[in-house]
Amino acid sequence: NFRHSFARSRSLSQRSPPDINQHRFVCSMPPGPTTMAAASPKAVGKVDEVVTSKPLLASRTAYKDQTGLKMDAATIAHRKAAILNGDSEQSGIHTENVKHVETTNFYEPDPLDSTQIKYPKALDLIGNTPLVDLTSLCNAKPGVRVLAKAEFMNPGFSHKDRIIRNILTKAEVSGRLRPGCTVVGASSGNTGASCAMLCSMRGYKCVIITSPKCSQEKMDAIRAYGATLLVSKPEQDYMQMEEDLAAKNPTWFSVNQYANSDNPEAHHCTTGPEIFEQTCGTVTHFVMAGSTGGTISGVGSYLKSVKPSTKVYLADPVGSVFTNYFKTGELGTGRKFLVEGVGKENIPGCLNFDVVDDVIPVSDSQAFAMCKTLARSEGLFVGGSAGLNVHAAVQLANTLDEPATIVTLLCDTGVKYLSKVFNESWLVENNVTAAVEGDR
């Protein structure tokens, strides 16, 4: 039950904040002729410069006229024709101020070399996920906001892409992971899918061990990426199975996500800085469930390093031992709960309780009800752990008296739980009341 200092990851945080738009593409329509005419009635119809983005990210070339307004090729052609026809309204200029307009004042961009256009690979799309505003779910006082980071937009559809990228990359750099190696990892589902996906990209064989609690959709996804999937028997510890397989196969690389410090480091160096930058430093609270503990420990340690007043809350499913351990320092006895990928019956090495300020218990019914609320009122189709996070964040928001910015994570997509969280027969079979919350 050791606790990490994150000294190395803190030193990394002193670097310049990441460019959150590095791999995101934002398309904005250039102003049309009428808009430009209204904005600049005396603009001269001459192109002064051609501006291209470097590196080239798309086959668009932007133009600027003497007013500094950007124009695309279609707008240039429109204004050119209007000027030559003496139509000052559409050209955006006063023809009495222009004695002669030469067609050579307008020119087309040089043709692009298609081989120079840079497009992202799937690996490049990990991270830099957007924040969405969920304040409408609250009955909070003015100035209190709830934001959620859409981690289901990662290529593997969960935040676990971040940790697997970091773990595999560092293992490759250190020489622990070499071509021809087999990667083995225990997972409740999402880390397994992320591991299988990245191994398929990098050419490694992959063996994933999970428990029968894992949804069929996540199991199928792991197999779809080409990994070998082993499902533990009820009397087996699937995390121990990873250690046993790694011991029997010395050439295999063990992910060891529950005790690998590269797990929280990934969130300390990416998710935390992104949240701080996306909120312009206004974040006051971070709410997150724990399984390995990597996300809450990594994000929490970063936010507290740049803004010590930040409060970190552990959202915990009722039945997990984390709540009792935080309050009493004793493990206690866990009991069954249905939300996947959160809570535990033991304390993983990656969970640093030093960054946790308080715990918010959430029942299965509350978590699943919030999943339905998010789908039916916000159009967000997310999994049970995301519902648990948002329920805890909303509950916290409704208790605050001062303005605050609460951030949580939408860990994965609801598509992974069609056979469970969004299956009425399964809910009834498991005695879960998951009616949509009608009284917020």
Side-chain angles (χ1 to χ4, degrees):
N1 301 336
F2 64 92
R3 301 177 178 181
H4 294 291
S5 65
F6 300 107
R8 182 174 183 280
S9 52
R10 278 202 178 97
S11 68
L12 291 174
S13 71
Q14 302 305 314
R15 301 176 183 173
S16 299
D19 179 3
I20 63 172
N21 293 314
Q22 182 180 3
H23 300 301
R24 296 291 169 188
F25 299 84
V26 180
C27 295
S28 57
M29 292 299 294
T34 303
T35 303
M36 300 187 75
S40 181
K42 295 185 179 181
V44 177
K46 177 180 177 181
V47 177
D48 293 315
E49 58 178 319
V50 178
V51 182
T52 59
S53 301
K54 296 181 180 180
L56 294 172
L57 294 179
S59 58
R60 284 185 57 187
T61 303
Y63 300 81
K64 289 183 180 179
D65 63 10
Q66 288 181 345
T67 65
L69 292 172
K70 288 186 177 181
M71 298 182 288
D72 66 0
T75 304
I76 289 294
H78 185 97
R79 293 189 66 176
K80 171 183 172 181
I83 291 171
L84 295 178
N85 292 330
D87 188 346
S88 62
E89 292 299 322
Q90 289 297 313
S91 68
I93 67 170
H94 289 288
T95 53
E96 63 268 20
N97 295 331
V98 181
K99 294 182 179 179
H100 180 65
V101 178
E102 297 181 0
T103 57
T104 54
N105 284 341
F106 295 88
Y107 53 91
E108 297 297 325
D110 294 332
L112 289 175
D113 181 353
S114 62
T115 63
Q116 300 302 310
I117 302 174
K118 306 297 183 184
Y119 296 104
K121 299 279 284 183
L123 184 66
D124 301 322
L125 300 178
I126 296 175
N128 301 317
T129 54
L131 287 174
V132 293
D133 193 339
L134 299 180
T135 309
S136 61
L137 299 176
C138 307
N139 281 322
K141 290 183 170 59
V144 177
R145 305 184 70 182
V146 172
L147 308 175
K149 201 156 170 54
E151 290 295 289
F152 56 82
M153 295 182 70
N154 284 301
F157 308 111
S158 85
H159 65 311
K160 295 296 188 177
D161 289 358
R162 295 176 184 266
I163 72 168
I164 291 298
R165 178 180 59 180
N166 194 50
I167 289 172
L168 296 187
T169 299
K170 294 191 71 175
E172 289 171 338
V173 171
S174 68
R176 291 175 293 146
L177 181 56
R178 299 178 298 279
C181 280
T182 295
V183 176
V184 60
S187 167
S188 57
N190 278 330
T191 301
S194 296
C195 188
M197 179 187 73
L198 269 80
C199 284
S200 71
M201 292 180 186
R202 299 187 180 192
Y204 300 116
K205 293 181 180 179
C206 182
V207 177
I208 299 298
I209 308 104
T210 192
S211 72
K213 184 178 178 180
C214 180
S215 73
Q216 188 63 49
E217 291 85 354
K218 287 192 285 189
M219 290 186 187
D220 290 342
I222 291 168
R223 294 189 182 101
Y225 289 119
T228 298
L229 179 65
L230 305 177
V231 181
S232 65
K233 296 177 181 179
E235 68 276 7
Q236 290 179 305
D237 182 341
Y238 72 101
M239 292 182 284
Q240 184 60 46
M241 289 174 66
E242 176 187 351
E243 295 183 25
D244 295 342
L245 280 172
K248 292 178 182 178
N249 300 275
T251 61
W252 288 17
F253 172 75
S254 175
V255 172
N256 190 25
Q257 66 160 327
Y258 295 94
N260 190 336
S261 61
D262 295 337
N263 172 352
E265 182 189 75
H267 291 290
H268 184 98
C269 297
T270 65
T271 320
E274 288 171 27
I275 290 172
F276 191 77
E277 184 170 341
Q278 288 171 322
T279 61
C280 299
T282 63
V283 56
T284 57
H285 300 74
F286 179 63
V287 177
M288 181 67 202
S291 176
T292 68
T295 309
I296 191 168
S297 300
V299 174
S301 66
Y302 176 82
L303 293 178
K304 286 179 177 289
S305 72
V306 294
K307 189 176 181 180
S309 62
T310 305
K311 300 298 182 183
V312 176
Y313 286 76
L314 174 64
D316 198 35
V318 174
S320 167
V321 301
F322 294 163
T323 298
N324 189 69
Y325 185 82
F326 176 82
K327 293 180 176 180
T328 69
E330 298 180 358
L331 191 62
T333 302
R335 63 178 187 271
K336 179 183 176 182
F337 54 91
L338 299 173
V339 182
E340 293 185 34
V342 290
K344 271 290 176 287
E345 295 178 354
N346 50 47
I347 308 298
C350 287
L351 181 50
N352 179 13
F353 277 101
D354 287 344
V355 305
V356 178
D357 293 290
D358 206 350
V359 177
I360 302 176
V362 180
S363 70
D364 288 327
S365 292
Q366 290 170 326
F368 296 156
M370 182 55 75
C371 288
K372 288 193 172 182
T373 297
L374 287 167
R376 297 181 183 183
S377 67
E378 301 297 321
L380 292 168
F381 193 43
V382 296
S385 60
L388 185 142
N389 282 341
V390 174
H391 179 90
V394 169
Q395 181 176 313
L396 173 64
N398 291 340
T399 67
L400 299 179
D401 295 321
E402 300 295 330
T405 299
I406 303 167
V407 178
T408 189
L409 262 60
L410 301 176
C411 308
D412 62 5
T413 172
V415 173
K416 297 186 177 191
Y417 307 94
L418 288 171
S419 62
K420 289 191 169 185
V421 178
F422 299 96
N423 185 304
E424 294 296 335
S425 297
W426 182 86
L427 294 173
V428 171
E429 186 178 311
N430 285 275
N431 300 313
V432 180
T433 303
V436 176
E437 296 175 338
D439 190 1
R440 296 176 188 166

